Amino acid sequence: MSLQDFTTSESLTIGVELELQLISTHDHDLIPQAQDLLRETARHTGAWDIKPEITRSMIEIGTSIQREHGPLVAELRDMRDQLVRAARRLNIEIAGGGTHAFQHWSEQQIYPGERFHYISDLYGYLAKQFTVFGQHVHVGCPNGDDALWLLHALSRYVPHFIALSASSPFVQGHDTGFDSARLNSVFAFPLSGRAPFVRSWDEFGAYFDKMTATGVVQSMKDFYWDIRPKPEYGTIELRVCDTPLTVEKAAALACYLQAICRYLIEERPFEPVEDDYLVYTYNRFQACRFGLQGDIVNPQTKARGKLRDDIVRTLARVETHAVDLKSWEACQLLRESLGEGNDAQWLRRQRAQDAQLSEVVEAAARRWTQSPPAAR
């Protein structure tokens, strides 16, 4: 199987995908009602998309192609509102968050579908442990060479998105000590982590051909990289974010990525080199473990600093680009969140109030539902 041509896409367009939890109103555990919810939302209004995920207690929603923060957040709110109304008819709740606080992987059910059964057969129990919930952001690129350049340039900013979006401190009833424990489930897959350092689409095609010849890879879907090219869409896809607890945070993260991409493309502050990856795994671990309090090492200067400070500096660098993209408000939301803490800290604060984990999940579902409604 050969790699398909990279579809031409408008530069800096964005699309957001969110994996969401389906929760019982009775005990606030996950509930396997994805098929029911998909039937209930089959005639939804809007250009957005809803589809199943690997287990029956989760769904994925995806926006249409967007260019600006205002229309993006409006569409996400509309998606949220329609989903919540449909879920209420089924007596279930919807929530964000990178993990469910106390579900057990052994109780999850694989969604009936050829691709999902293939993954289950191949990866065994890891498939059910993959009942975790992430946000993916697509950024449009005009060609494959530009996409790969941008993919590698963004490697320095991956810890930003892990720390800002982190919302998975609890796993199977325990505080893991991580702000983003979700990514530990992703890292268990053999084709996860970073993409290989190739700089042209022709080089990437040769790599893809070698991988498919081994039988290890059948399609691009088999790569679980932190950032991967999506040639059929003409995008690169950032995959490290936990699903936030609100759609407003999801929109802000997408627009922050868009602003960074414009800054990188227009100012070319550095050229990505393979040595950028020397500290990549360390920086990523720090963001997962400690969130905004983690350390980050600059791969070029070798200087060590705090991740929160690096985000502050980056927000300042991209501010004019955010203004031009009409996403200043989104970046301001993230700037304010640096003082409030990420969603993992919010969840821990709920737990610190002597709440049962079921009450923490209930609070997360309420937070998802009660953020500002879509305009009518």
Side-chain angles (χ1 to χ4, degrees):
M1 179 184 296
S2 295
L3 184 66
Q4 68 184 88
D5 292 337
F6 193 90
T7 301
T8 298
S9 183
E10 180 184 340
S11 183
L12 298 176
T13 51
I14 50 177
V16 172
E17 297 165 344
L18 297 173
E19 296 163 342
L20 299 171
Q21 305 183 33
L22 307 186
I23 295 168
S24 165
T25 56
H26 171 62
D27 59 7
H28 306 295
D29 200 349
L30 291 179
I31 189 166
Q33 286 194 247
Q35 289 163 295
D36 299 328
L37 186 59
L38 289 169
R39 281 194 295 269
E40 195 70 24
T41 57
R43 296 183 180 179
H44 69 78
T45 59
W48 50 275
D49 180 46
I50 177 171
K51 58 187 179 183
E53 254 299 338
I54 188 161
T55 60
R56 294 178 60 213
S57 297
M58 57 193 303
I59 57 165
E60 180 182 274
I61 56 175
T63 68
S64 59
I65 298 171
Q66 297 289 337
R67 294 167 180 80
E68 297 176 5
H69 174 250
L72 172 62
V73 75
E75 184 176 40
L76 283 167
R77 285 172 175 166
D78 178 56
M79 295 162 75
R80 188 256 339 266
D81 293 348
Q82 291 196 52
L83 278 174
V84 167
R85 288 195 294 270
R88 283 174 177 160
R89 292 193 291 270
L90 297 169
N91 201 32
I92 61 176
E93 296 175 316
I94 307 288
T99 56
H100 184 277
F102 60 88
Q103 66 90 18
H104 287 271
W105 65 264
S106 59
E107 298 172 359
Q108 300 310 312
Q109 303 171 21
I110 299 297
Y111 190 92
E114 183 178 351
R115 171 72 184 172
F116 299 136
H117 283 301
Y118 163 75
I119 294 172
S120 180
D121 290 343
L122 178 61
Y123 292 113
Y125 84 106
L126 292 178
K128 289 186 177 182
Q129 283 204 334
F130 212 35
T131 306
V132 292
F133 308 86
Q135 172 179 350
H136 304 160
V137 184
H138 291 262
V139 179
C141 301
N143 57 67
D145 290 355
D146 287 351
L148 290 170
W149 184 92
L150 189 57
L151 182 155
H152 294 302
L154 283 171
S155 67
R156 298 189 186 191
Y157 301 94
V158 161
H160 291 206
F161 291 92
I162 295 173
L164 285 165
S165 70
S167 60
S168 52
F170 302 113
V171 173
Q172 296 194 29
H174 299 279
D175 190 328
T176 64
F178 280 70
D179 274 17
S180 178
R182 177 189 72 93
L183 281 173
N184 293 328
S185 295
V186 180
F187 297 160
F189 285 76
L191 298 175
S192 62
R194 47 157 287 202
F197 191 76
V198 294
R199 293 288 302 271
S200 74
W201 195 244
D202 286 344
E203 280 185 273
F204 188 83
Y207 167 83
F208 183 84
D209 289 344
K210 289 178 182 178
M211 290 298 292
T212 54
T214 66
V216 173
V217 168
Q218 296 183 3
S219 73
M220 283 297 300
K221 290 182 179 180
D222 294 321
F223 295 116
Y224 293 90
W225 297 327
D226 295 344
I227 314 176
R228 70 182 180 189
K230 290 289 283 185
E232 65 270 36
Y233 295 158
T235 65
I236 56 169
E237 178 188 16
L238 179 74
R239 299 169 51 83
V240 296
C241 294
D242 286 358
T243 297
L245 298 181
T246 67
V247 294
E248 289 76 23
K249 184 73 166 287
L253 289 164
C255 290
Y256 180 46
L257 177 63
Q258 183 190 37
I260 290 175
C261 289
R262 190 176 192 264
Y263 160 71
L264 290 171
I265 292 168
E266 295 201 355
E267 298 191 28
R268 298 271 171 156
F270 59 86
E271 283 296 316
V273 295
E274 190 160 13
D275 279 0
D276 286 349
Y277 289 103
L278 290 174
V279 294
Y280 181 83
T281 303
Y282 174 82
N283 288 341
R284 185 177 59 178
F285 169 80
Q286 284 282 315
C288 290
R289 175 68 174 85
F290 301 108
L292 297 167
Q293 306 300 325
D295 290 342
I296 187 168
V297 178
N298 184 300
Q300 184 177 20
T301 66
K302 310 303 186 289
R304 181 190 300 266
K306 287 298 180 182
L307 185 48
R308 185 192 300 271
D309 296 336
D310 202 56
I311 293 171
V312 170
R313 287 190 294 268
T314 302
L315 283 165
R317 290 190 190 106
V318 306
E319 185 169 17
T320 58
H321 297 283
V323 170
D324 290 343
L325 292 164
K326 300 182 181 179
S327 62
W328 182 88
E329 182 182 349
C331 290
Q332 183 62 19
L333 185 152
L334 295 181
R335 187 177 287 108
E336 292 170 357
S337 78
L338 294 174
E340 300 164 0
N342 58 26
D343 286 342
Q345 291 174 283
W346 185 90
L347 290 164
R348 285 193 172 106
R349 287 197 294 271
Q350 309 311 301
R351 178 65 163 160
Q353 297 171 8
D354 294 325
Q356 298 294 317
L357 282 176
S358 61
E359 295 175 290
V360 174
V361 174
E362 183 181 18
R366 190 163 57 245
R367 185 174 172 89
W368 175 265
T369 302
Q370 292 180 352
S371 56
R376 298 296 177 197

